[in-house]
């Protein structure tokens, strides 16, 4: 092998200059890489639960959040703050008093346990959003209808503790008045009346629509719009809304089939992982995943969620955040003010 001395051009002086140039070029390259990394946004993951009623699943979800560092959004149906004895206090547009598509709390003790979970979740940095009250399809409701539904939600939340025979914790009144900033429509069923009412009531965001894939939120109107994405799933990679109920219907036609729970869990986890990796290695648009406070197909979807959260939310440049936090990070005027 030839030595440096065999090459007249490789004198010590020239070698020093070459090495210095190479080092400077390397430093510049590293700096450029760091700069590009610094400019790259974190990958946001937004995980939400509709209904927020089953107290056992409250325990499970809060433990999941504590272990992983994730923060969740809970879209609450307000009839779960009312015992059956108080059901006549609620009247949905076009319905008789005391009717709810999702029922009511069994009794005051159950409602109080739920209220404790709501308060613990909020204090830990999770978000409570509105899912209306009785889970009716409001696509044809007017603005006035929706404002009436919002009024009943607000009253149920503000008076929940006293209506169930207990004293509200300090800070609850302020939370009930100012803490609810987002909404998701039952059945993801929207209409002009809903959007007009959301803007009139000053909601920061709505999370009721669906998009062809992950998209950035639309901030063009006073109430921002987040859309649950369609993601590829299953052997044929057919698109499906990234929500547990939709997976349940696809996998087993909406019929409980616990014997295939492991298969459905793996399919769900594969779909979540793939959808995440596309964004994480690409445009880094927020990935939204929706769930209900109901375990389906033997817990397949909650099991997949737990595995996904624990392997994903601690990764570098990933933040599993609430919708309100996503608004703060992504809305142009909010970003410039922070």
């Amino acid at each position: 092998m030839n030595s440096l001395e065999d090459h007249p051009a490789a004198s010590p002086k020239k070698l020093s200059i070459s090495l210095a140039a190479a080092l400077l070029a390397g430093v510049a390259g590293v700096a450029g890489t760091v700069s590009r990394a610094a400019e790259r946004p974190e990958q946001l993951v937004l995980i939400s639960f509709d209904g927020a009623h089953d107290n056992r699943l409250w325990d499970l979800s809060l433990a999941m959040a504590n272990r992983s560092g994730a923060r969740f959004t809970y879209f609450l149906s307000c009839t779960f703050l009312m015992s059956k004895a108080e059901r006549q206090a609620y009247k949905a547009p076009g319905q008789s008093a005391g009717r709810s598509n999702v029922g009511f709390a069994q009794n005051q003790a159950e409602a109080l346990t739920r209220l404790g979970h709501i308060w613990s979740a909020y204090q830990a940095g999770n978000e409570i959003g509105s899912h209306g009250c009785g889970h009716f399809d409001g696509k044809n409701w007017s603005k006035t209808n929706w404002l009436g539904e919002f009024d009943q939600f607000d009253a149920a939340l503000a008076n929940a503790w006293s209506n169930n025979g207990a004293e509200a914790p300090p800070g609850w009144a302020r939370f009930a008045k100012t803490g609810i900033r987002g909404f998701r429509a039952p059945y993801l069923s929207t209409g002009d009346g809903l959007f007009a009412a959301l803007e009139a009531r000053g909601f920061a965001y709505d999370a009721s629509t669906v998009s062809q894939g992950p998209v950035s939120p639309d901030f063009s109107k006073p109430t921002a719009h987040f859309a649950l994405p369609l993601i590829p799933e299953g052997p044929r990679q057919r698109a499906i809304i990234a929500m547990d109920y939709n997976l349940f219907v696809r996998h087993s036609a909406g019929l409980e089939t616990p014997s295939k729970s492991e298969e459905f869990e793996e399919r769900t986890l594969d779909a979540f992982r793939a959808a995440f990796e596309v964004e994480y290695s690409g445009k880094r648009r927020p990935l939204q995943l929706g769930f209900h406070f109901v375990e389906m197909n033997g817990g397949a979807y909650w099991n997949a969620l737990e595995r996904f959260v624990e392997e994903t939310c601690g990764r570098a440049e990933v933040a599993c955040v609430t919708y309100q936090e996503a608004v703060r990070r992504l809305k142009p005027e909010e970003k410039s003010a922070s």
Side-chain angles (χ1 to χ4, degrees):
M1 180 177 180
N2 294 334
S3 68
L4 286 175
E5 286 76 14
D6 293 330
H7 299 276
S11 67
K13 182 177 181 180
K14 289 182 179 180
L15 180 60
S16 298
I17 293 173
S18 298
L19 284 172
L23 286 170
L24 286 172
V27 169
V30 170
T33 301
V34 171
S35 176
R36 286 192 297 274
E39 293 171 0
R40 191 170 174 82
E42 282 188 302
Q43 175 63 54
L44 300 187
V45 179
L46 282 64
I47 296 165
S48 58
F49 300 93
D50 293 1
H53 57 293
D54 187 315
N55 283 319
R56 185 181 67 83
L57 294 181
W58 265 112
D59 285 330
L60 185 61
S61 67
L62 291 175
M64 193 189 311
N66 289 338
R67 283 195 306 273
S68 65
R71 291 298 174 259
F72 301 140
T73 301
Y74 298 89
F75 291 109
L76 173 69
S77 297
C78 88
T79 57
F80 294 127
L81 305 180
M82 307 174 186
S83 68
K84 286 184 174 181
E86 303 295 327
R87 64 190 302 166
Q88 295 299 316
Y90 170 63
K91 186 181 185 305
Q95 304 291 328
S96 57
R99 285 204 59 204
S100 165
N101 274 351
V102 289
F104 297 81
Q106 293 297 308
N107 49 50
Q108 289 187 342
E110 183 198 325
L112 288 172
T113 300
R114 184 170 298 115
L115 286 166
H117 285 134
I118 290 169
W119 190 232
S120 294
Y122 179 72
Q123 289 186 305
N126 299 286
E127 177 185 358
I128 310 300
S130 172
H131 200 41
C133 286
H135 209 276
F136 291 102
D137 185 339
K139 65 177 177 294
N140 295 322
W141 287 3
S142 67
K143 173 183 174 182
T144 300
N145 291 152
W146 274 111
L147 289 174
E149 182 83 347
F150 296 159
D151 285 342
Q152 293 188 86
F153 181 97
D154 292 346
L157 189 65
N159 302 315
W161 291 87
S162 59
N163 286 345
N164 288 287
E167 183 177 348
W172 181 271
R174 179 178 177 82
F175 156 67
K177 186 175 182 179
T178 64
I180 308 299
R181 304 288 293 138
F183 179 80
R184 174 170 288 152
Y187 309 108
L188 304 180
S189 187
T190 63
D192 292 341
L194 170 62
F195 296 137
L198 289 170
E199 291 192 11
R201 190 52 64 90
F203 277 90
Y205 72 87
D206 170 73
S208 306
T209 53
V210 176
S211 57
Q212 288 298 315
V215 295
S216 296
D218 179 1
F219 291 113
S220 64
K221 296 180 179 179
T223 298
H225 289 274
F226 286 80
L228 281 167
L230 293 167
I231 62 172
E233 188 276 336
R236 295 169 57 190
Q237 292 292 282
R238 291 184 297 146
I240 191 169
I241 298 174
M243 198 171 221
D244 57 355
Y245 179 75
N246 302 80
L247 291 159
F248 176 52
V249 171
R250 171 173 289 180
H251 291 165
S252 60
L255 302 174
E256 288 292 345
T257 313
S259 62
K260 293 188 175 181
S261 180
E262 290 186 10
E263 174 190 336
F264 299 149
E265 178 183 334
E266 293 302 327
R267 279 182 57 166
T268 299
L269 183 58
D270 287 346
F272 290 171
R273 284 170 170 166
F276 171 84
E277 291 297 340
V278 167
E279 296 306 318
Y280 187 65
S281 61
K283 296 182 178 180
R284 294 210 169 175
R285 295 163 297 194
L287 176 64
Q288 300 171 64
L289 303 175
F291 289 80
H292 292 79
F293 258 38
V294 179
E295 289 181 300
M296 308 168 200
N297 278 334
Y301 311 109
W302 274 68
N303 291 342
L305 172 65
E306 186 166 9
R307 292 168 64 188
F308 176 78
V309 164
E310 292 187 356
E311 71 185 29
T312 303
C313 293
R315 289 178 61 172
E317 299 181 30
V318 175
C320 296
V321 300
T322 66
Y323 276 87
Q324 282 196 47
E325 176 64 13
V327 170
R328 187 187 71 79
R329 294 188 184 209
L330 299 174
K331 191 173 184 180
E333 54 266 40
E334 298 287 341
K335 288 169 65 178
S336 60
S338 60

